[in-house]
Amino acid sequence: MNFDWLAGEVDDIGNFFAWHVALSVIPVLVALVLAVPIGWLVKQSGFLRPALLGTVGLLYTIPSLALFVLLPLVLGTQILDPLNVVVALTVYTLALLVRTVCDGLEAVSSDVLQAANAMGYRRIARFFRVELPLAVPVIGAGLRVAVVSNVSIVSIAALIGTPQLGSLFTEGLELHFLTPIFTGIILCVALAVLLDSLVLIITRQLTGWQPRT
Amino acid sequence: MIVFKNVTKRYDNGTIAVDDLSLEAPKGRITIFVGPSGCGKTTSLRMINRLIAPTSGSILLDGQPTEAMNLAQLRRKIGYVIQHAGLFPHLNVVQNIATTARLKGIAKKQALLIASELLERVGLDLSFGNRYPWQLSGGQQQRVGVARALASDPEFMLMDEPFSAVDPVVRHQLQEEFLRLQRDIGKTIIMVTHDIDEALKLGDQVAVLRTGGVLAQVASPKELLSNPADSFVADFVGRDRGYRYLSFVDAASSLAVMIEPVVALGTEAAAARIVAKDQWILVVNAAAQPLGWVDLDRQSGPLRESDLNLSGTLASQDHSLRQVLDAALSAPSGRGVIVDAGRVLAGSVRLSDVVAAIQSAKAAGWGGRP
Ligand SMILES: Nc1ncnc2c1ncn2[C@@H]1O[C@H](COP(=O)(O)OP(=O)(O)OP(=O)(O)O)[C@@H](O)[C@H]1O
Ligand SMILES: [Mg+2]
């Protein structure tokens, strides 16, 4: 490790880190907001459900680099626009979370739903006060997978020039210099652990009602 | 009042679960649906709050047909206790109970207050209030389920096997609590069970359904026991219905209660023999509450707690002849122990006197409880 180089680049590295956080987190938040109603619709869709989930799952198989390159054509954005990365990651996260939300809602016991119906909950109240809170453990587990995989996928965006920690890898490769590469890896892992713990803590806060093993 | 008018339910697969059911569940009374598994009890119950839509016929609540009512409003009028309680896992006990009150538009604070009061009414300590459902036993969950149904003070209550998930001792306890509660609140209740003893014990009126969803008989428990409509009802009510009938005959009027000599723990066997009527002596505590019998033929030295024979049951004077008979049959001395409301000894009855009381009550046409 060349610490003199590190000291000189600290501003850039800080900048890369901030971008990396934004590019990993924003798509998760957007996807979550979208996945809740979509997951609910998929759950309601009866016999269409396997087909819908299959289609959503297919999105995940599109290579990320291809998506980064194709999106400007679809969205009419510049190739270097970070919006491309945000949209691409939102698509991936959505693919993951729709299934998660759907599974979470399905895990709610039918006794509980029936009790809610019998008590006279209307549909929307039942969803927000009963079904969604009970789906939180499953959704939380899905979110943890989503944030961690986003942190790693974001670095690929360095190949199309979006600034973030992945830029340290390309830089290291060009300069034949290991310090930026190590720095990038350490910061990526640290960020992944941090975000994962954050999701875990929030999930725990919301699921105090669950037995802790 | 809940009225079934020619109600039929045919499921999509062709199963006829309920067949042309007509029935009235009177206001402020407990009506029990009883019958073998699959005879349509749950289906009948769920048609009342329209969790299931009847295929034909109509159901009226206080004269209003349910199909004309707003679904959510209809359901908020009716407390529903499902089997296995169906509590909300993410809410603690008090919050669970408060949900129905909240749905009725009662403010949060007030709803939680009502919930805490109900917790005590169903026999749970206030300390249970902030537990989550998984921290409760099956019987405790069922009590919370009952409390939740009551929290909105509904006019009607539907209960589907509410005391099924518990052992006989707790079940008996829950039934007693439930009857006590109903004496205060006087709701119009329909309860489902497949336990005929429970039906006869709790019901003001019992509807026996047979497989295929046909109503076999609807009558008071007494009428059902003494006058079953057909052999199906007779079989269902059970072989020992003659004995069960004694549950409905008061003991008080006809019974000769004798004075029973007693001693305290620690009395020497020799001293006890002097007061005893025969080889058996009854031991009581300082408050004159019976503790058990001691066999003096096998006893020497002071009477200790470990010498007590605890097999005898207690009966109270205002209890039924069934309980008095049981007390006499179960006592090792053959003398049933009679206590007052405070469990203080009132005397004893000989088995032969109980039998005589049964005979005279029968001869007099079973004068007793309605
Ligand atoms: N959704 C359904 N679709 C088709 N048939 C059904 C459905 N629900 C119940 N049944 C049938 O209707 C009949 C009555 O069912 P129901 O649940 O009312 O019985 P029950 O008297 O409550 O029985 P148990 O004592 O076992 O709870 C049964 O034969 C059952 O198989
Ligand atoms: Mg049933």
Side-chain angles (χ1 to χ4, degrees):
Chain A
M1 290 292 264
N2 183 334
F3 290 101
D4 291 342
W5 178 86
L6 267 187
E9 300 289 307
V10 80
D11 280 354
D12 270 357
I13 295 174
N15 199 17
F16 288 157
F17 189 79
W19 270 102
H20 208 110
V21 172
L23 292 175
S24 317
V25 171
I26 293 169
V28 175
L29 297 179
V30 177
L32 181 61
V33 169
L34 295 174
V36 168
I38 299 177
W40 180 78
L41 279 175
V42 172
K43 189 204 137 211
Q44 302 294 101
S45 61
F47 71 98
L48 280 176
R49 186 181 164 275
L52 287 173
L53 280 178
T55 314
V56 174
L58 271 184
L59 292 174
Y60 210 77
T61 63
I62 307 173
S64 48
L65 198 53
L67 207 53
F68 292 154
V69 176
L70 282 174
L71 273 177
L73 304 178
V74 180
L75 301 174
T77 44
Q78 297 293 315
I79 184 90
L80 285 180
D81 193 332
L83 192 61
N84 298 327
V85 179
V86 171
V87 173
L89 284 174
T90 303
V91 169
Y92 284 133
T93 313
L94 194 60
L96 213 72
L97 287 185
V98 166
R99 176 176 281 274
T100 303
V101 169
C102 188
D103 287 348
L105 292 176
E106 244 152 41
V108 179
S109 105
S110 58
D111 268 357
V112 168
L113 293 183
Q114 198 181 76
N117 286 342
M119 287 160 64
Y121 272 95
R122 295 201 172 88
R123 226 182 182 154
I124 294 185
R126 189 185 90 169
F127 181 74
F128 284 105
R129 292 203 227 140
V130 180
E131 293 179 80
L132 197 55
L134 287 173
V136 166
V138 177
I139 296 176
L143 274 178
R144 289 178 67 188
V145 175
V147 287
V148 172
S149 70
N150 273 9
V151 168
S152 80
I153 298 176
V154 166
S155 20
I156 297 172
L159 296 178
I160 55 162
T162 315
Q164 28 70 18
L165 293 174
S167 313
L168 292 171
F169 303 150
T170 44
E171 200 173 322
L173 279 177
E174 281 160 15
L175 301 176
H176 298 286
F177 183 37
L178 284 180
T179 301
I181 298 183
F182 282 140
T183 311
I185 292 175
I186 291 168
L187 288 177
C188 272
V189 171
L191 180 59
V193 171
L194 188 82
L195 290 177
D196 183 50
S197 316
L198 192 68
V199 175
L200 185 65
I201 290 167
I202 295 173
T203 315
R204 288 243 161 160
Q205 285 296 321
L206 292 175
T207 58
W209 48 272
Q210 269 200 321
R212 296 262 179 263
T213 45
Chain B
M1 187 163 70
I2 303 173
V3 179
F4 283 76
K5 263 195 185 161
N6 306 101
V7 175
T8 293
K9 175 65 192 182
R10 176 202 291 271
Y11 282 109
D12 293 341
N13 63 5
T15 312
I16 295 188
V18 177
D19 193 3
D20 196 26
L21 177 65
S22 293
L23 180 95
E24 284 185 9
K27 201 174 188 68
R29 292 302 167 90
I30 303 174
T31 298
I32 310 261
F33 286 174
V34 68
S37 191
C39 69
K41 305 182 291 294
T42 298
T43 305
S44 305
L45 204 64
R46 289 196 189 147
M47 284 192 287
I48 299 169
N49 60 5
R50 299 194 88 78
L51 288 173
I52 296 173
T55 311
S56 65
S58 67
I59 297 173
L60 313 172
L61 291 189
D62 287 340
Q64 279 201 47
T66 55
E67 64 259 41
M69 297 185 200
N70 172 289
L71 209 54
Q73 270 161 15
L74 165 71
R75 289 171 179 171
R76 288 173 193 182
K77 273 192 193 190
I78 305 174
Y80 184 53
V81 183
I82 64 174
Q83 204 175 342
H84 308 309
L87 299 180
F88 296 136
H90 62 300
L91 302 180
N92 70 27
V93 166
V94 173
Q95 291 166 337
N96 256 291
I97 301 174
T99 45
T100 52
R102 293 282 290 138
L103 281 169
K104 232 189 172 171
I106 294 170
K108 193 165 191 170
K109 254 198 180 142
Q110 179 69 13
L112 290 174
L113 208 69
I114 293 172
S116 310
E117 280 170 18
L118 276 168
L119 196 59
E120 292 195 300
R121 293 210 81 163
V122 297
L124 287 177
D125 194 83
L126 267 180
S127 64
F128 281 94
N130 50 19
R131 291 206 202 176
Y132 287 102
W134 64 273
Q135 295 166 312
L136 302 179
S137 74
Q140 290 163 346
Q141 289 186 23
Q142 286 184 322
R143 291 170 200 223
V144 177
V146 172
R148 179 175 66 178
L150 286 171
S152 62
D153 195 20
E155 293 157 60
F156 309 96
M157 292 270 284
L158 309 178
M159 311 176 85
D160 198 347
E161 309 206 23
F163 309 130
S164 57
V166 291
D167 64 69
V169 177
V170 176
R171 172 186 285 231
H172 175 79
Q173 207 178 316
L174 286 175
Q175 291 169 341
E176 293 295 328
E177 277 167 19
F178 170 71
L179 281 178
R180 211 172 306 133
L181 195 65
Q182 168 66 358
R183 273 196 285 276
D184 290 350
I185 58 183
K187 303 263 179 225
T188 306
I189 297 175
I190 297 186
M191 182 190 290
V192 162
T193 177
H194 52 236
D195 174 357
I196 184 69
D197 277 317
E198 182 167 86
L200 295 174
K201 178 174 176 184
L202 300 181
D204 292 308
Q205 166 179 274
V206 177
V208 184
L209 298 167
R210 73 170 102 231
T211 312
V214 181
L215 180 65
Q217 185 173 7
V218 52
S220 70
K222 210 172 156 177
E223 173 77 10
L224 221 52
L225 285 165
S226 59
N227 216 347
D230 57 22
S231 62
F232 171 81
V233 177
D235 273 353
F236 197 80
V237 172
R239 275 182 209 288
D240 46 356
R241 55 186 177 276
Y243 171 61
R244 282 195 175 131
Y245 191 83
L246 295 176
S247 304
F248 302 97
V249 186
D250 266 343
S253 52
S254 47
L255 210 58
V257 179
M258 309 176 303
I259 293 172
E260 181 68 30
V262 294
V263 295
L265 278 177
T267 310
E268 286 291 328
R273 268 187 208 105
I274 298 170
V275 296
K277 280 186 174 171
D278 55 16
Q279 74 184 89
W280 292 98
I281 184 76
L282 186 65
V283 180
V284 295
N285 65 12
Q289 294 170 326
L291 299 174
W293 295 91
V294 171
D295 183 354
L296 292 171
D297 282 1
R298 301 179 172 197
Q299 188 72 30
S300 55
L303 313 184
R304 285 155 309 170
E305 198 156 359
S306 56
D307 299 323
L308 293 175
N309 178 315
L310 303 172
S311 61
T313 57
L314 302 176
S316 136
Q317 248 173 322
D318 52 6
H319 277 169
S320 65
L321 275 176
R322 179 174 171 171
Q323 267 160 310
V324 176
L325 177 61
D326 192 72
L329 286 171
S330 63
S333 62
R335 298 191 295 279
V337 178
I338 307 295
V339 292
D340 67 14
R343 282 191 85 252
V344 172
L345 182 69
S348 66
V349 287
R350 277 187 307 233
L351 183 53
S352 55
D353 286 339
V354 181
V355 174
I358 293 172
Q359 271 171 335
S360 63
K362 187 167 169 70
W366 296 122
R369 304 184 186 186

